[in-house]
Amino acid sequence: MKQIKTTKTDKFKPQISSKRKFSKNFFRKEERPNFYSMLYKQCEITDESMSMFLKFMDSKDLSLAEEIEQCEKKADKVRRKVIDYVENSFITPLDRHDLFAVSRSIDDITDKIKDLKDFLIFFNYTPTEKNLEMTELIYDSIHAVTEAVSHWTDDSPEFFWEHLVKAKKNENQIKRLYWENIDELEFRKQSLRNIIVVREFSKDLNSLANKTGKAADRISDIKIKSIK
């Protein structure tokens, strides 16, 4: 398995505001962040969760499973902050519906990673080599989306688009691996249960890839809208 590299980007920092009052006290005024920093935090947590899931597939270390659970809870907290931000901000940088949608699409990825972790534990499933290839590519795509969001507000957006294109390219390759994994099932050498489990896990991995691609599409669409 290839070595996993993770990067941290701290280019987004909370913007301090002392002038505007909000109807809810979810944030104290002095620490209310902007939308881009919160969306980046969502992506960062998802990136971390996927990194741990890839390690968990290989090691079956239950401490990693617990860390994935904690990531999902942290992601939910950030998601609630995003909702509070959109509902209580007098002016938002983008259309409110778009802000909700892109945050929801990132949250869907984190939820799916947790579901896949639960699947491995429940069925005591050992992933195939193609499962591992699919997962590595999905991690690469999630990391690319995270990097794209870190460049969202750059004056020169080439890095933003470069990372989104990378995430979308991986989606087609993952779908091909999914087909190949199903095609390799040998009915005469495996029980019906094993065939179904392999098929379902592979299908869920492909679904995770699709959710990541959908998030990349939403981010791309919103960026284009903001340029017009």
Side-chain angles (χ1 to χ4, degrees):
M1 183 182 298
K2 67 183 182 182
Q3 184 178 3
I4 302 169
K5 297 181 179 179
T6 57
T7 62
K8 299 289 184 182
T9 305
D10 59 359
K11 76 181 295 177
F12 295 127
K13 296 182 179 179
Q15 294 184 347
I16 298 173
S17 174
S18 59
K19 296 181 179 180
R20 185 180 300 163
K21 293 183 178 180
F22 299 90
S23 60
K24 294 183 180 179
N25 292 321
F26 198 97
F27 298 103
R28 293 195 300 271
K29 287 187 294 182
E30 68 271 13
E31 64 180 21
R32 187 177 181 89
N34 63 29
F35 168 73
Y36 299 107
S37 67
M38 288 185 288
L39 183 62
Y40 175 72
K41 184 62 178 177
Q42 268 195 280
C43 292
E44 192 176 41
I45 293 170
T46 302
D47 187 291
E48 180 185 0
S49 182
M50 191 63 193
S51 172
M52 288 186 291
F53 177 68
L54 190 51
K55 293 175 183 176
F56 177 68
M57 286 178 69
D58 183 53
S59 68
K60 297 293 182 69
D61 183 348
L62 291 179
S63 67
L64 289 169
E66 178 57 30
E67 289 185 54
I68 293 169
E69 286 282 337
Q70 294 305 313
C71 276
E72 194 267 340
K73 292 177 182 177
K74 286 191 292 183
D76 283 345
K77 289 181 181 179
V78 178
R79 167 75 173 156
R80 288 195 293 272
K81 289 183 180 181
V82 171
I83 292 171
D84 178 77
Y85 169 88
V86 176
E87 287 181 343
N88 293 283
S89 295
F90 182 68
I91 297 175
T92 56
L94 303 164
D95 180 83
R96 293 173 195 273
H97 173 77
D98 289 335
L99 298 184
F100 278 127
V102 72
S103 177
R104 175 75 262 177
S105 65
I106 298 296
D107 193 60
D108 286 345
I109 298 172
T110 315
D111 290 344
K112 190 65 177 178
I113 294 169
K114 176 184 175 297
D115 288 345
L116 283 162
K117 177 269 297 177
D118 291 341
F119 186 105
L120 288 179
I121 294 172
F122 185 86
F123 289 101
N124 192 26
Y125 174 63
T126 300
T128 67
E129 284 299 318
K130 283 199 166 50
N131 287 160
L132 292 171
E133 287 183 63
M134 291 171 72
T135 307
E136 287 173 349
L137 283 169
I138 294 167
Y139 171 74
D140 194 46
S141 295
I142 291 172
H143 193 69
V145 170
T146 302
E147 288 297 300
V149 171
S150 77
H151 292 284
W152 193 320
T153 58
D154 287 0
D155 293 331
S156 300
E158 59 267 18
F159 289 112
F160 172 88
W161 293 113
E162 177 184 319
H163 290 299
L164 284 188
V165 169
K166 181 179 182 181
K168 289 298 294 181
K169 280 184 177 179
N170 284 348
E171 188 176 4
N172 289 331
Q173 190 173 349
I174 293 163
K175 180 170 66 175
R176 175 63 61 178
L177 286 168
Y178 166 55
W179 291 345
E180 290 176 2
N181 202 53
I182 299 303
D183 190 52
E184 289 176 2
L185 290 174
E186 299 180 16
F187 287 81
R188 289 173 294 182
K189 294 184 180 180
Q190 298 189 56
S191 68
L192 179 60
R193 177 191 181 277
N194 287 344
I195 291 169
I196 293 173
V197 170
V198 172
R199 185 188 66 189
E200 289 303 304
F201 186 74
S202 302
K203 182 179 178 181
D204 282 350
L205 280 177
N206 190 56
S207 175
L208 177 58
N210 293 337
K211 289 180 183 297
T212 305
K214 182 178 180 180
D217 285 337
R218 286 194 182 279
I219 291 168
S220 175
D221 291 345
I222 293 173
K223 180 68 172 179
I224 292 171
K225 282 185 182 181
S226 69
I227 295 172
K228 294 180 180 179

